[in-house]
Amino acid sequence: MLAQASPFWQAATAAEALKLVICGHVHGEHSIAYRGKTLEVGPATCFQWRRGACDIEIDDRRGYRLFDFAADGYSVRTVFV
């Protein structure tokens, strides 16, 4: 998913105050935790790649993620339309 995952995680772990990175449009939803940091990735607003497929398979759904933030953390849910 990340073309240059190693430099990304090196920069993220070096930033002490950083806890969460949110990005999107990767044709699927993902939550990745690494060394106290979390990467939340939202789905594309067009098609998705079918999760777990060995070959390229398209899942014809559009989606977005909703985040609710609180003092003690956050919750996230994905909505597909």
Side-chain angles (χ1 to χ4, degrees), residues 1-2 8 21-26 30 39-43 65 67:
M1 180 175 67
L2 286 173
F8 170 80
V21 176
I22 301 172
C23 66
H25 197 92
V26 296
H30 305 278
L39 173 62
E40 294 284 358
V41 182
R65 296 187 99 181
F67 291 84

Side-chain angles (χ1 to χ4, degrees), residues 6-56:
S6 182
F8 170 80
W9 287 116
Q10 286 176 357
T13 55
E16 290 184 29
L18 180 70
K19 302 293 182 213
L20 175 65
V21 176
I22 301 172
C23 66
H25 197 92
V26 296
H27 301 279
E29 58 175 320
H30 305 278
S31 295
I32 302 167
Y34 180 78
R35 295 188 180 180
K37 314 297 182 180
T38 303
L39 173 62
E40 294 284 358
V41 182
T45 55
C46 56
F47 63 87
Q48 312 306 311
W49 301 121
R50 190 170 311 277
R51 185 174 282 201
C54 293
D55 294 321
I56 294 176

